[in-house]
Amino acid sequence: MEKKTTESGRDNQSGKKTCFVTIGATADFSILIEASLTPQFLEALGDAGYTDLLLQYGRGGRVMIENFDASYGPSDPRRRGLKINGFAFNDRGLGAEMRAAKGENGNREGVVISHAGTPGVDFQILYSISEDLAHRVTGSGSILEALRIGVPIVVVPNPSLLDNHQWDLAVALSKQGYVDFGEITELETSIAWIERDRKDRKPWPPVEGKADPSGKGLIGVMDDMLGFVD
């Protein structure tokens, strides 16, 4: 996994606090990476005590970080003391990055900011065939992985793909209290919402390593969220 790293030199003795942004591997969502590198978003992260910003930027995203480095030198105060890492894809999945944002090994809990899935695919039908297939094809596995690990997540629909299930999925999960709904034009406000709601978010069933308290399994819960009926 190739990484592009840029550091500002912050020395944090109380452990890292990571914001992990993922755009997936299929539909282009480079504007989410652009929004994650704006001064106002970096300011929001700095104000909330974040130390690290990790970007899964997909195809062609490396140049965005390089352009950012050219515009904001290591000592630029607009970087807000953040260490910024980026990578295109990880064939092993994003579990390690999700756990970093969760704050394992003595670090502090941060946040995941995720795309809402891939257009043109029936999530319910794929799940009825194979949970792993649904993860790989729809891209919604990023959301489910974060929910299972228990890290706070902001789901951001791609505004160029709003003729599909993305908006409905993000809104439904947000209304139920499992995720925060984010908008690309106001991404910085999502950080304040996460910090405010961190202790009040609902756990996602099934709880990792325990029996499913809902008795419905993932298909049943997702059906409830999206309003599917038999």
Side-chain angles (χ1 to χ4, degrees), residues 20-29 32-33 56-59 87-89 94 113-118 139 142:
F20 173 46
V21 180
T22 172
I23 68 169
T26 51
D28 178 52
F29 200 7
L32 179 56
I33 300 302
Q56 183 269 309
Y57 50 64
R59 298 180 181 86
F87 64 96
F89 306 104
L94 301 176
I113 298 179
S114 175
H115 65 108
T118 302
S142 297

Short mmCIF file of all heavy atoms in Angstrom, two decimals, residues 20-29 32-33 56-59 87-89 94 113-118 139 142:
data_model
loop_
_atom_site.label_atom_id
_atom_site.label_comp_id
_atom_site.label_asym_id
_atom_site.label_seq_id
_atom_site.Cartn_x
_atom_site.Cartn_y
_atom_site.Cartn_z
N PHE A 20 -10.35 9.61 9.81
CA PHE A 20 -10.11 8.81 8.62
C PHE A 20 -11.20 9.08 7.59
O PHE A 20 -12.38 8.92 7.86
CB PHE A 20 -10.08 7.32 8.97
CG PHE A 20 -10.00 6.40 7.78
CD1 PHE A 20 -9.10 6.64 6.75
CD2 PHE A 20 -10.84 5.29 7.69
CE1 PHE A 20 -9.02 5.80 5.65
CE2 PHE A 20 -10.77 4.43 6.59
CZ PHE A 20 -9.86 4.69 5.57
N VAL A 21 -10.80 9.51 6.40
CA VAL A 21 -11.72 9.84 5.31
C VAL A 21 -11.54 8.81 4.20
O VAL A 21 -10.43 8.59 3.73
CB VAL A 21 -11.46 11.26 4.75
CG1 VAL A 21 -12.43 11.58 3.62
CG2 VAL A 21 -11.56 12.30 5.87
N THR A 22 -12.64 8.18 3.78
CA THR A 22 -12.57 7.18 2.72
C THR A 22 -13.58 7.48 1.61
O THR A 22 -14.75 7.77 1.89
CB THR A 22 -12.80 5.76 3.25
OG1 THR A 22 -12.89 4.83 2.15
CG2 THR A 22 -14.05 5.65 4.09
N ILE A 23 -13.12 7.41 0.35
CA ILE A 23 -14.01 7.68 -0.77
C ILE A 23 -14.35 6.42 -1.55
O ILE A 23 -15.10 6.48 -2.53
CB ILE A 23 -13.41 8.72 -1.74
CG1 ILE A 23 -12.19 8.16 -2.48
CG2 ILE A 23 -13.05 10.01 -1.00
CD1 ILE A 23 -11.73 9.03 -3.63
N GLY A 24 -13.82 5.26 -1.14
CA GLY A 24 -14.11 4.02 -1.83
C GLY A 24 -13.23 3.80 -3.04
O GLY A 24 -12.26 4.53 -3.27
N ALA A 25 -13.59 2.77 -3.81
CA ALA A 25 -12.73 2.35 -4.91
C ALA A 25 -13.38 2.42 -6.27
O ALA A 25 -12.77 2.04 -7.27
CB ALA A 25 -12.27 0.91 -4.66
N THR A 26 -14.61 2.90 -6.36
CA THR A 26 -15.31 2.86 -7.64
C THR A 26 -15.66 4.26 -8.14
O THR A 26 -14.87 4.87 -8.85
CB THR A 26 -16.57 1.98 -7.54
OG1 THR A 26 -17.35 2.41 -6.40
CG2 THR A 26 -16.20 0.52 -7.36
N ALA A 27 -16.81 4.77 -7.77
CA ALA A 27 -17.25 6.08 -8.28
C ALA A 27 -16.32 7.19 -7.79
O ALA A 27 -15.86 7.18 -6.65
CB ALA A 27 -18.68 6.34 -7.81
N ASP A 28 -16.05 8.15 -8.65
CA ASP A 28 -15.17 9.27 -8.30
C ASP A 28 -15.83 10.15 -7.26
O ASP A 28 -16.98 10.56 -7.40
CB ASP A 28 -14.87 10.10 -9.56
CG ASP A 28 -14.01 11.30 -9.23
OD1 ASP A 28 -12.96 11.11 -8.58
OD2 ASP A 28 -14.39 12.43 -9.60
N PHE A 29 -15.10 10.42 -6.19
CA PHE A 29 -15.60 11.30 -5.13
C PHE A 29 -14.44 12.17 -4.64
O PHE A 29 -14.28 12.38 -3.43
CB PHE A 29 -16.20 10.48 -4.00
CG PHE A 29 -17.16 11.23 -3.10
CD1 PHE A 29 -17.58 12.52 -3.39
CD2 PHE A 29 -17.65 10.64 -1.94
CE1 PHE A 29 -18.45 13.21 -2.57
CE2 PHE A 29 -18.53 11.31 -1.11
CZ PHE A 29 -18.93 12.59 -1.43
N LEU A 32 -14.66 15.00 -1.99
CA LEU A 32 -14.62 14.74 -0.54
C LEU A 32 -13.20 14.93 -0.01
O LEU A 32 -13.01 15.47 1.09
CB LEU A 32 -15.13 13.34 -0.23
CG LEU A 32 -15.13 12.93 1.25
CD1 LEU A 32 -15.94 13.92 2.10
CD2 LEU A 32 -15.69 11.53 1.41
N ILE A 33 -12.21 14.51 -0.79
CA ILE A 33 -10.82 14.73 -0.39
C ILE A 33 -10.50 16.22 -0.41
O ILE A 33 -9.85 16.75 0.51
CB ILE A 33 -9.86 13.95 -1.31
CG1 ILE A 33 -10.16 12.45 -1.22
CG2 ILE A 33 -8.41 14.23 -0.93
CD1 ILE A 33 -10.06 11.86 0.16
N GLN A 56 -8.07 8.07 2.40
CA GLN A 56 -8.08 7.05 1.34
C GLN A 56 -8.64 7.75 0.11
O GLN A 56 -9.82 8.00 0.00
CB GLN A 56 -8.94 5.85 1.75
CG GLN A 56 -8.94 4.70 0.72
CD GLN A 56 -10.06 4.83 -0.30
OE1 GLN A 56 -11.22 5.00 0.09
NE2 GLN A 56 -9.73 4.76 -1.58
N TYR A 57 -7.74 8.12 -0.81
CA TYR A 57 -8.10 9.07 -1.85
C TYR A 57 -8.38 8.47 -3.22
O TYR A 57 -8.72 9.18 -4.16
CB TYR A 57 -7.04 10.16 -1.99
CG TYR A 57 -5.61 9.68 -2.11
CD1 TYR A 57 -5.18 8.93 -3.18
CD2 TYR A 57 -4.68 10.03 -1.13
CE1 TYR A 57 -3.86 8.53 -3.30
CE2 TYR A 57 -3.35 9.62 -1.23
CZ TYR A 57 -2.94 8.87 -2.31
OH TYR A 57 -1.64 8.47 -2.42
N GLY A 58 -8.23 7.15 -3.39
CA GLY A 58 -8.59 6.54 -4.66
C GLY A 58 -7.67 6.93 -5.80
O GLY A 58 -6.53 7.35 -5.61
N ARG A 59 -8.21 6.79 -7.01
CA ARG A 59 -7.43 7.05 -8.22
C ARG A 59 -7.13 8.54 -8.36
O ARG A 59 -8.03 9.37 -8.29
CB ARG A 59 -8.18 6.57 -9.45
CG ARG A 59 -8.45 5.08 -9.48
CD ARG A 59 -9.19 4.66 -10.73
NE ARG A 59 -9.47 3.24 -10.75
CZ ARG A 59 -10.53 2.67 -10.20
NH1 ARG A 59 -11.43 3.43 -9.58
NH2 ARG A 59 -10.71 1.37 -10.24
N PHE A 87 -3.37 7.40 1.07
CA PHE A 87 -3.09 6.22 0.27
C PHE A 87 -4.25 6.01 -0.70
O PHE A 87 -5.38 6.45 -0.47
CB PHE A 87 -2.88 4.98 1.15
CG PHE A 87 -4.08 4.55 1.95
CD1 PHE A 87 -4.94 3.56 1.48
CD2 PHE A 87 -4.35 5.14 3.17
CE1 PHE A 87 -6.06 3.17 2.22
CE2 PHE A 87 -5.46 4.75 3.92
CZ PHE A 87 -6.32 3.77 3.44
N ALA A 88 -3.97 5.32 -1.81
CA ALA A 88 -4.98 5.13 -2.85
C ALA A 88 -5.97 4.04 -2.46
O ALA A 88 -7.17 4.27 -2.37
CB ALA A 88 -4.32 4.81 -4.18
N PHE A 89 -5.45 2.83 -2.26
CA PHE A 89 -6.30 1.68 -1.93
C PHE A 89 -5.56 0.78 -0.95
O PHE A 89 -4.34 0.85 -0.82
CB PHE A 89 -6.63 0.87 -3.20
CG PHE A 89 -7.24 1.68 -4.30
CD1 PHE A 89 -6.47 2.04 -5.41
CD2 PHE A 89 -8.56 2.08 -4.25
CE1 PHE A 89 -7.02 2.80 -6.43
CE2 PHE A 89 -9.11 2.84 -5.26
CZ PHE A 89 -8.34 3.19 -6.35
N LEU A 94 -10.13 -1.95 5.06
CA LEU A 94 -9.88 -0.72 5.82
C LEU A 94 -10.06 -0.90 7.32
O LEU A 94 -10.19 0.07 8.06
CB LEU A 94 -10.83 0.38 5.31
CG LEU A 94 -10.71 0.74 3.83
CD1 LEU A 94 -11.75 1.77 3.44
CD2 LEU A 94 -9.29 1.25 3.51
N ILE A 113 -15.07 9.43 8.21
CA ILE A 113 -15.93 10.13 7.27
C ILE A 113 -15.94 9.32 5.98
O ILE A 113 -14.90 9.11 5.36
CB ILE A 113 -15.45 11.56 7.01
CG1 ILE A 113 -15.49 12.37 8.32
CG2 ILE A 113 -16.28 12.24 5.94
CD1 ILE A 113 -15.00 13.79 8.20
N SER A 114 -17.12 8.82 5.60
CA SER A 114 -17.21 7.83 4.53
C SER A 114 -18.19 8.24 3.44
O SER A 114 -19.20 8.90 3.69
CB SER A 114 -17.66 6.48 5.11
OG SER A 114 -17.87 5.51 4.08
N HIS A 115 -17.88 7.81 2.23
CA HIS A 115 -18.83 7.83 1.13
C HIS A 115 -20.01 6.93 1.51
O HIS A 115 -19.93 6.14 2.46
CB HIS A 115 -18.19 7.33 -0.15
CG HIS A 115 -17.77 5.89 -0.08
ND1 HIS A 115 -18.42 4.89 -0.77
CD2 HIS A 115 -16.79 5.27 0.63
CE1 HIS A 115 -17.86 3.74 -0.50
NE2 HIS A 115 -16.86 3.94 0.34
N ALA A 116 -21.09 6.99 0.75
CA ALA A 116 -22.31 6.26 1.11
C ALA A 116 -22.56 5.04 0.25
O ALA A 116 -23.62 4.43 0.37
CB ALA A 116 -23.52 7.19 1.05
N GLY A 117 -21.63 4.64 -0.59
CA GLY A 117 -21.83 3.43 -1.39
C GLY A 117 -21.73 3.70 -2.88
O GLY A 117 -21.44 4.81 -3.32
N THR A 118 -22.01 2.67 -3.66
CA THR A 118 -21.89 2.71 -5.11
C THR A 118 -23.27 2.73 -5.76
O THR A 118 -24.15 1.99 -5.34
CB THR A 118 -21.11 1.48 -5.60
OG1 THR A 118 -19.84 1.46 -4.96
CG2 THR A 118 -20.92 1.51 -7.10
N GLY A 139 -19.95 -0.98 -1.85
CA GLY A 139 -19.13 -0.02 -1.12
C GLY A 139 -19.69 0.31 0.24
O GLY A 139 -19.06 1.01 1.02
N SER A 142 -17.88 -0.11 4.01
CA SER A 142 -17.15 0.87 4.81
C SER A 142 -18.00 1.35 5.98
O SER A 142 -17.52 1.49 7.11
CB SER A 142 -16.74 2.07 3.95
OG SER A 142 -15.86 1.69 2.92
#
